[in-house]
mmCIF file of all heavy atoms in Angstrom:
data_model
loop_
_atom_site.group_PDB
_atom_site.id
_atom_site.type_symbol
_atom_site.label_atom_id
_atom_site.label_comp_id
_atom_site.label_asym_id
_atom_site.label_seq_id
_atom_site.Cartn_x
_atom_site.Cartn_y
_atom_site.Cartn_z
ATOM 1 N N LEU H 1 -30.301 16.210 18.129
ATOM 2 C CA LEU H 1 -30.345 15.494 19.468
ATOM 3 C C LEU H 1 -29.809 14.093 19.349
ATOM 4 O O LEU H 1 -29.115 13.654 20.206
ATOM 5 C CB LEU H 1 -31.818 15.558 20.005
ATOM 6 C CG LEU H 1 -32.383 16.929 20.406
ATOM 7 C CD1 LEU H 1 -33.801 16.724 20.950
ATOM 8 C CD2 LEU H 1 -31.468 17.577 21.548
ATOM 9 N N GLY H 2 -30.197 13.385 18.312
ATOM 10 C CA GLY H 2 -29.732 12.032 18.169
ATOM 11 C C GLY H 2 -28.314 11.969 17.982
ATOM 12 O O GLY H 2 -27.544 11.129 18.505
ATOM 13 N N ALA H 3 -27.679 12.916 17.225
ATOM 14 C CA ALA H 3 -26.237 12.979 17.054
ATOM 15 C C ALA H 3 -25.516 13.284 18.291
ATOM 16 O O ALA H 3 -24.512 12.673 18.624
ATOM 17 C CB ALA H 3 -25.886 14.082 15.941
ATOM 18 N N ILE H 4 -26.090 14.144 19.125
ATOM 19 C CA ILE H 4 -25.449 14.582 20.405
ATOM 20 C C ILE H 4 -25.479 13.350 21.302
ATOM 21 O O ILE H 4 -24.555 13.056 22.116
ATOM 22 C CB ILE H 4 -26.194 15.677 21.064
ATOM 23 C CG1 ILE H 4 -25.898 16.978 20.342
ATOM 24 C CG2 ILE H 4 -25.809 15.782 22.512
ATOM 25 C CD1 ILE H 4 -24.504 17.453 20.439
ATOM 26 N N ALA H 5 -26.534 12.480 21.224
ATOM 27 C CA ALA H 5 -26.724 11.360 22.091
ATOM 28 C C ALA H 5 -25.680 10.164 21.749
ATOM 29 O O ALA H 5 -25.115 9.582 22.674
ATOM 30 C CB ALA H 5 -28.169 10.778 22.001
ATOM 31 N N VAL H 6 -25.420 9.996 20.464
ATOM 32 C CA VAL H 6 -24.553 8.790 20.084
ATOM 33 C C VAL H 6 -23.146 9.175 19.630
ATOM 34 O O VAL H 6 -22.282 8.364 19.885
ATOM 35 C CB VAL H 6 -25.256 8.050 18.912
ATOM 36 C CG1 VAL H 6 -26.632 7.644 19.241
ATOM 37 C CG2 VAL H 6 -25.336 8.916 17.630
ATOM 38 N N LEU H 7 -22.891 10.387 19.256
ATOM 39 C CA LEU H 7 -21.578 10.715 18.777
ATOM 40 C C LEU H 7 -20.501 10.667 19.777
ATOM 41 O O LEU H 7 -19.434 10.161 19.601
ATOM 42 C CB LEU H 7 -21.478 12.067 18.045
ATOM 43 C CG LEU H 7 -22.068 12.065 16.607
ATOM 44 C CD1 LEU H 7 -22.000 13.497 16.005
ATOM 45 C CD2 LEU H 7 -21.363 11.081 15.707
ATOM 46 N N PRO H 8 -20.743 11.149 21.037
ATOM 47 C CA PRO H 8 -19.781 11.058 22.116
ATOM 48 C C PRO H 8 -19.376 9.627 22.338
ATOM 49 O O PRO H 8 -18.103 9.333 22.633
ATOM 50 C CB PRO H 8 -20.421 11.745 23.280
ATOM 51 C CG PRO H 8 -21.392 12.623 22.694
ATOM 52 C CD PRO H 8 -21.919 12.018 21.502
ATOM 53 N N SER H 9 -20.303 8.690 22.359
ATOM 54 C CA SER H 9 -19.955 7.237 22.533
ATOM 55 C C SER H 9 -19.041 6.742 21.477
ATOM 56 O O SER H 9 -18.101 6.015 21.770
ATOM 57 C CB SER H 9 -21.228 6.402 22.690
ATOM 58 O OG SER H 9 -21.984 6.768 23.706
ATOM 59 N N LEU H 10 -19.368 7.114 20.257
ATOM 60 C CA LEU H 10 -18.531 6.662 19.115
ATOM 61 C C LEU H 10 -17.179 7.317 19.187
ATOM 62 O O LEU H 10 -16.167 6.738 18.809
ATOM 63 C CB LEU H 10 -19.285 6.932 17.836
ATOM 64 C CG LEU H 10 -20.597 6.343 17.617
ATOM 65 C CD1 LEU H 10 -21.179 6.838 16.291
ATOM 66 C CD2 LEU H 10 -20.558 4.895 17.625
ATOM 67 N N ALA H 11 -17.090 8.593 19.668
ATOM 68 C CA ALA H 11 -15.935 9.259 19.753
ATOM 69 C C ALA H 11 -14.872 8.724 20.761
ATOM 70 O O ALA H 11 -13.633 8.961 20.768
ATOM 71 C CB ALA H 11 -16.106 10.769 20.041
ATOM 72 N N THR H 12 -15.369 7.932 21.743
ATOM 73 C CA THR H 12 -14.539 7.261 22.682
ATOM 74 C C THR H 12 -13.456 6.325 22.002
ATOM 75 O O THR H 12 -12.321 6.305 22.478
ATOM 76 C CB THR H 12 -15.342 6.418 23.693
ATOM 77 O OG1 THR H 12 -16.279 7.265 24.319
ATOM 78 C CG2 THR H 12 -14.512 5.752 24.717
ATOM 79 N N ASN H 13 -13.808 5.749 20.924
ATOM 80 C CA ASN H 13 -12.853 4.883 20.226
ATOM 81 C C ASN H 13 -11.780 5.681 19.605
ATOM 82 O O ASN H 13 -10.587 5.147 19.409
ATOM 83 C CB ASN H 13 -13.626 4.132 19.095
ATOM 84 C CG ASN H 13 -14.667 3.155 19.617
ATOM 85 O OD1 ASN H 13 -14.497 2.599 20.675
ATOM 86 N ND2 ASN H 13 -15.752 3.070 18.871
ATOM 87 N N LEU H 14 -11.989 6.987 19.354
ATOM 88 C CA LEU H 14 -10.911 7.822 18.760
ATOM 89 C C LEU H 14 -10.002 8.382 19.950
ATOM 90 O O LEU H 14 -8.817 8.582 19.752
ATOM 91 C CB LEU H 14 -11.458 9.015 17.975
ATOM 92 C CG LEU H 14 -12.249 8.538 16.688
ATOM 93 C CD1 LEU H 14 -12.870 9.766 16.035
ATOM 94 C CD2 LEU H 14 -11.383 7.773 15.726
ATOM 95 N N THR H 15 -10.677 8.817 21.018
ATOM 96 C CA THR H 15 -9.911 9.521 22.077
ATOM 97 C C THR H 15 -9.413 8.660 23.182
ATOM 98 O O THR H 15 -8.410 8.979 23.809
ATOM 99 C CB THR H 15 -10.777 10.529 22.697
ATOM 100 O OG1 THR H 15 -11.941 10.032 23.346
ATOM 101 C CG2 THR H 15 -11.315 11.589 21.610
ATOM 102 N N GLY H 16 -10.039 7.544 23.386
ATOM 103 C CA GLY H 16 -9.789 6.700 24.554
ATOM 104 C C GLY H 16 -10.196 7.274 25.928
ATOM 105 O O GLY H 16 -9.837 6.800 26.958
ATOM 106 N N ILE H 17 -10.978 8.385 25.889
ATOM 107 C CA ILE H 17 -11.439 8.995 27.095
ATOM 108 C C ILE H 17 -12.869 8.534 27.326
ATOM 109 O O ILE H 17 -13.802 8.980 26.731
ATOM 110 C CB ILE H 17 -11.471 10.552 26.931
ATOM 111 C CG1 ILE H 17 -10.009 11.053 26.658
ATOM 112 C CG2 ILE H 17 -11.887 11.222 28.303
ATOM 113 C CD1 ILE H 17 -9.852 12.521 26.374
ATOM 114 N N SER H 18 -13.010 7.635 28.273
ATOM 115 C CA SER H 18 -14.286 7.027 28.517
ATOM 116 C C SER H 18 -15.298 7.991 29.097
ATOM 117 O O SER H 18 -16.564 7.878 28.928
ATOM 118 C CB SER H 18 -14.140 5.848 29.436
ATOM 119 O OG SER H 18 -13.646 6.263 30.698
ATOM 120 N N THR H 19 -14.851 9.097 29.822
ATOM 121 C CA THR H 19 -15.783 9.978 30.328
ATOM 122 C C THR H 19 -16.499 10.839 29.247
ATOM 123 O O THR H 19 -17.561 11.415 29.554
ATOM 124 C CB THR H 19 -15.074 11.017 31.271
ATOM 125 O OG1 THR H 19 -13.909 11.605 30.575
ATOM 126 C CG2 THR H 19 -14.439 10.297 32.487
ATOM 127 N N LEU H 20 -15.974 10.871 28.066
ATOM 128 C CA LEU H 20 -16.655 11.583 26.973
ATOM 129 C C LEU H 20 -17.889 10.851 26.529
ATOM 130 O O LEU H 20 -18.804 11.438 26.006
ATOM 131 C CB LEU H 20 -15.731 11.708 25.784
ATOM 132 C CG LEU H 20 -16.128 12.514 24.575
ATOM 133 C CD1 LEU H 20 -16.474 13.906 25.018
ATOM 134 C CD2 LEU H 20 -15.096 12.450 23.508
ATOM 135 N N THR H 21 -17.942 9.548 26.811
ATOM 136 C CA THR H 21 -19.200 8.760 26.464
ATOM 137 C C THR H 21 -20.364 9.361 27.096
ATOM 138 O O THR H 21 -21.458 9.403 26.483
ATOM 139 C CB THR H 21 -18.946 7.325 26.834
ATOM 140 O OG1 THR H 21 -17.811 6.809 26.118
ATOM 141 C CG2 THR H 21 -20.092 6.458 26.416
ATOM 142 N N LEU H 22 -20.279 9.693 28.387
ATOM 143 C CA LEU H 22 -21.370 10.258 29.056
ATOM 144 C C LEU H 22 -21.528 11.739 28.927
ATOM 145 O O LEU H 22 -22.407 12.408 29.397
ATOM 146 C CB LEU H 22 -21.243 9.819 30.492
ATOM 147 C CG LEU H 22 -21.182 8.317 30.818
ATOM 148 C CD1 LEU H 22 -21.027 8.052 32.273
ATOM 149 C CD2 LEU H 22 -22.296 7.568 30.246
ATOM 150 N N GLY H 23 -20.400 12.391 28.427
ATOM 151 C CA GLY H 23 -20.354 13.853 28.395
ATOM 152 C C GLY H 23 -21.380 14.480 27.427
ATOM 153 O O GLY H 23 -21.955 15.527 27.795
ATOM 154 N N GLY H 24 -21.567 13.880 26.292
ATOM 155 C CA GLY H 24 -22.511 14.574 25.288
ATOM 156 C C GLY H 24 -23.831 14.721 25.816
ATOM 157 O O GLY H 24 -24.508 15.837 25.881
ATOM 158 N N THR H 25 -24.462 13.641 26.353
ATOM 159 C CA THR H 25 -25.852 13.676 26.913
ATOM 160 C C THR H 25 -25.917 14.556 28.198
ATOM 161 O O THR H 25 -26.773 15.345 28.347
ATOM 162 C CB THR H 25 -26.228 12.286 27.272
ATOM 163 O OG1 THR H 25 -26.220 11.426 26.101
ATOM 164 C CG2 THR H 25 -27.695 12.316 27.796
ATOM 165 N N GLY H 26 -24.818 14.434 29.007
ATOM 166 C CA GLY H 26 -24.810 15.233 30.220
ATOM 167 C C GLY H 26 -24.703 16.729 29.969
ATOM 168 O O GLY H 26 -25.498 17.557 30.511
#
């Protein structure tokens, strides 16, 4: 659960897709 919560935010730096930041938790 912790990984799901934080990894999408960290992955934004790789993809440049800001919507992914909120996608994992959602």
Side-chain angles (χ1 to χ4, degrees):
L1 290 179
I4 289 295
V6 301
L7 283 181
S9 296
L10 300 177
T12 302
N13 298 326
L14 296 175
T15 64
I17 304 177
S18 59
T19 53
L20 186 61
T21 302
L22 306 177
T25 304

